[in-house]
Amino acid sequence: MSGMRLPGWFAERAEPAPPESELRVSTIELFFDLVFVFTVTQLTSLVADGIQEGRPLEGALRVLLVFGVLWWMYAGYAWLTNAVPPVRPARRVLILLGMVGFLITALAIPSAFDGDGPAFAVGYLLLILVHAGLYLQSTAAIARVIPFNLGGVALIGLAGVVGRPYDHLLWGMAVLLLWGSPYFIGQKGFELRAGHIVERHGLLVIVALGESIVALGIGAQGLHVGPALGVTAALGLALAACLWWIYFGGDDETRAEHILAGAEPVRRTRLVLGAYFYAHIPMLLGIVAVAAGVKKAIGHPIDPLKPGAAVILAAGAALFLAGSAWFRRVLGIGGNRLRIAGALAAPVSVAFGLWSAMAQLVVLVVLVGAVAVLERRPAAAPSPVRASAPVR
């Protein structure tokens, strides 16, 4: 279905859309991602505060709920700029307005369940309105999504009013409504360009890993830089580098782009949903958990970690490995046994963390690094075929 008729100052130039291979991520999209990743930093603080206050499970639940609704809208904007490239000044201004929405929600995250729920809902509503207004220029199919988005923000706003014990339930309902909406909406009408989707999410993972290093630096503020701190910081960086290697060390991006580009439009949309929306959830949550765990480890590197911090650090590595295996499986990329084995083995590191924070980091760096190295081993050469007597 064609887009709506809009004023000339707002609509696209009257020229053919760029070929798929030429549509790449713009600088304003990277700017947008930096603001979104600020919300990831806030989530890291939410996990760390939960550990500090002795309620790590509640902190982890809150992170899952907040991230769930934010990730839905981030994915919506990634699809938006894929369909409606921000090449006109008016569109760029609206993207900047969407960034304001993300900034408001990010600022409200630390107290989203303690009084700032309405402020979070206002920022989220701004995100929805900008997204809908821009996306309508490309396809009327977005009209099927808008009621679900508005229903989600209504539930979040109601949660901020009613408070405990119903607020977590209402947030959970919002996440289920948003995440489940593709099954009711269908995938027709959303044609996506493969190269842009692959590049956009890859850059997001890089920015998120960079923010995990920032969290490491925040955890080290005010501390004397001695040998123990220096080694722990290096181990934190090494763990982030291993996660980077898992995602970028091979040719997964190139293979993913070819697979998506070769799929017909509806199937491509389904593959993007599976690989770049659902499968990226554990990977990004894994980065958040690793950052929170390292932030706690850096303060007392020799001492044992609190049980909650040790579990969250191990869970972060496990989630990232499992999510990357899920991502590859959705796209039909084989060879995921090592990643699954690494995800299953990561919880063993908790025992080392209860002895020493540095020891757990060493174990996780060795584990994730081993997965990355062993995956890159060249396949064994086939044994030469020996001549044999003919079978009678």
Side-chain angles (χ1 to χ4, degrees):
M1 188 175 292
S2 60
M4 297 178 63
R5 184 179 297 276
L6 295 161
W9 62 268
F10 190 71
E12 279 288 338
R13 294 183 178 90
E15 59 186 23
E20 179 167 331
S21 60
E22 295 181 11
L23 180 63
R24 293 301 176 185
V25 178
S26 63
T27 53
I28 194 168
E29 291 173 83
L30 287 176
F31 192 17
F32 183 94
D33 288 357
L34 288 173
V35 177
F36 171 72
V37 171
F38 174 54
T39 67
V40 175
T41 305
Q42 293 286 74
L43 292 174
T44 300
S45 299
L46 205 59
V47 176
D49 291 344
I51 296 171
Q52 187 69 31
E53 296 169 10
R55 44 180 184 84
L57 292 179
E58 183 180 358
L61 174 61
R62 290 182 173 186
V63 165
L64 179 61
L65 295 173
V66 174
F67 176 81
V69 298
L70 290 176
W71 177 240
W72 172 258
M73 281 314 301
Y74 173 83
Y77 273 83
W79 288 33
L80 165 67
T81 52
N82 185 283
V84 188
V87 297
R88 299 297 298 270
R91 291 184 175 178
R92 293 173 180 172
V93 169
L94 287 175
I95 292 292
L96 292 170
L97 187 59
M99 291 165 60
V100 172
F102 261 126
L103 184 61
I104 293 171
T105 59
L107 293 173
I109 284 175
S111 302
F113 294 86
D114 298 304
D116 281 343
F120 186 100
V122 169
Y124 203 75
L125 179 60
L126 180 58
L127 281 169
I128 291 171
L129 295 178
V130 171
H131 177 263
L134 278 170
Y135 220 138
L136 282 169
Q137 294 186 42
S138 171
T139 175
I142 192 63
R144 305 198 303 266
V145 181
I146 296 173
F148 288 89
N149 290 347
L150 293 176
V153 75
L155 288 169
I156 294 169
L158 182 60
V161 174
V162 301
R164 297 185 181 183
Y166 303 107
D167 53 350
H168 289 73
L169 177 61
L170 289 168
W171 274 81
M173 291 171 62
V175 172
L176 291 175
L177 179 67
L178 296 172
W179 287 12
S181 61
Y183 294 96
F184 299 97
I185 295 166
Q187 287 80 49
K188 291 183 178 179
F190 298 96
E191 295 190 12
L192 299 169
R193 304 180 190 192
H196 179 271
I197 286 290
V198 173
E199 184 182 13
R200 180 76 184 269
H201 288 80
L203 290 172
L204 174 66
V205 171
I206 287 223
V207 175
L209 287 170
E211 288 296 329
S212 73
I213 305 303
V214 172
L216 187 154
I218 293 173
Q221 281 184 345
L223 300 177
H224 171 66
V225 185
L229 177 62
V231 170
T232 305
L235 288 169
L237 177 60
L239 183 54
C242 288
L243 299 181
W244 173 88
W245 206 289
I246 291 292
Y247 194 97
F248 297 101
D251 60 351
D252 286 359
E253 286 188 294
T254 301
R255 295 169 73 181
E257 184 172 345
H258 288 164
I259 291 166
L260 292 176
E264 57 88 19
V266 173
R267 183 170 181 270
R268 181 187 302 179
T269 303
R270 290 173 181 165
L271 289 174
V272 170
L273 270 172
Y276 288 96
F277 180 73
Y278 294 113
H280 271 63
I281 291 168
M283 283 192 274
L284 290 169
L285 287 175
I287 294 173
V288 170
V290 165
V294 171
K295 187 177 179 181
K296 287 300 177 184
I298 199 91
H300 304 281
I302 303 298
D303 299 336
L305 281 171
K306 292 182 178 181
V311 169
I312 283 174
L313 182 56
L319 282 170
F320 193 92
L321 289 170
S324 65
W326 183 7
F327 162 79
R328 299 176 95 204
R329 182 175 180 179
V330 169
L331 294 174
I333 301 174
N336 296 314
R337 292 181 180 178
L338 282 171
R339 298 188 183 204
I340 295 170
L344 294 174
V348 175
S349 70
V350 173
F352 293 87
L354 297 178
W355 173 53
S356 167
M358 188 185 296
Q360 184 174 9
L361 283 173
V362 169
V363 170
L364 288 175
V365 168
V366 171
L367 175 64
V368 182
V371 172
V373 170
L374 292 174
E375 277 191 339
R376 304 297 177 266
R377 288 184 307 172
S383 301
V385 178
R386 296 180 179 178
S388 59
V391 177
R392 297 185 184 275

